[in-house]
Amino acid sequence: MKTAVLCLALTVVSLCAEAQITFRGVDASPMDMAYFPDRFTNVRKDGETAKVRVTYSRPAKKDRPVFEKLAPYGKVWRLGANENTEIKFYQDATIQGKKIKAGTYSLFAIPNEKEWTLIFNSDLDYWGAFKYQEKNDVLRVTVPVKKAPSTIEHFSIQFAGEGNQGTMYLGWEDALVEVPMTF
């Protein structure tokens, strides 16, 4: 009987301890995913598979000067917030006539006022761009910057296109970058 009471008491204490967990609020820069085709999951019911997926965190402008403080011109930026942004190609792709093999890469940018250099790098799973090493770059492309039609509050990545031709759009503040890809 004493054993049963002791077990019951331990169970109650254990449940009370677990029930006291406090969940933190929403991350200031929540994680998001962008697929091509847009709004995709890895495999659709019709059997079509995704061609590319980007996993990134979405920092907010919050009345801050983005390209002076958060993603300074001329410096390697993690293309988002928190952990470095990762791009997964489910099949080989071509960007500006340059081939990139199917696989997962970190995605960085060197933003400038008129153009951005996008960097696909083989290093994965680390925070920010603090450990970025140019020697591990797999592909670099330079893309022009356009003026966004309105201010983009949260850094955003989205895909558009059809069939084997898609465009990855990157936007923040008043900058809009288009990266055409073929698969």
Side-chain angles (χ1 to χ4, degrees):
M1 179 72 171
K2 287 182 181 179
T3 305
V5 171
L6 180 60
C7 285
L8 181 60
L10 288 174
T11 301
V12 169
V13 168
S14 174
L15 289 174
C16 289
E18 287 182 34
Q20 293 180 12
I21 188 165
T22 302
F23 288 97
R24 63 183 175 269
V26 176
D27 190 355
S29 299
M31 189 173 287
D32 201 356
M33 285 187 178
Y35 280 92
F36 178 72
D38 190 31
R39 294 192 178 133
F40 207 85
T41 56
N42 187 21
V43 179
R44 290 197 320 205
K45 290 180 184 175
D46 64 8
E48 184 181 8
T49 59
K51 294 173 176 39
V52 61
R53 176 188 74 201
V54 178
T55 306
Y56 68 108
S57 290
R58 301 185 67 193
K61 178 176 169 23
K62 296 182 184 176
D63 295 321
R64 299 176 289 182
V66 168
F67 298 107
E68 292 172 23
K69 301 237 176 192
L70 304 175
Y73 287 143
K75 294 189 178 180
V76 174
W77 171 48
R78 66 183 127 195
L79 209 57
N82 304 328
E83 292 184 31
N84 62 310
T85 294
E86 290 186 358
I87 186 166
K88 179 175 185 174
F89 291 98
Y90 292 96
Q91 54 190 268
D92 295 352
T94 303
I95 304 169
Q96 291 185 348
K98 299 175 183 176
K99 305 245 183 229
I100 188 164
K101 293 193 175 291
T104 304
Y105 305 92
S106 55
L107 183 58
F108 298 96
I110 301 173
N112 284 298
E113 191 173 348
K114 295 185 180 184
E115 64 183 21
W116 286 15
T117 300
L118 293 181
I119 304 165
F120 300 81
N121 188 283
S122 62
D123 284 338
L124 299 172
D125 300 320
Y126 59 86
W127 187 268
F130 306 109
K131 294 183 180 180
Y132 166 76
Q133 294 183 48
E134 185 175 346
K135 70 179 182 179
N136 296 323
D137 289 355
V138 174
L139 176 68
R140 278 181 172 229
V141 295
T142 302
V143 290
V145 175
K146 295 181 178 180
K147 183 156 179 60
S150 61
T151 299
I152 302 167
E153 176 63 27
H154 292 86
F155 174 68
S156 299
I157 300 176
Q158 188 170 322
F159 286 91
E162 294 182 18
N164 289 326
Q165 299 207 3
T167 300
M168 178 173 63
Y169 293 90
L170 311 169
W172 202 10
E173 194 171 48
D174 63 349
L176 179 63
V177 174
E178 300 177 11
V179 187
M181 301 178 179
T182 56
F183 300 91

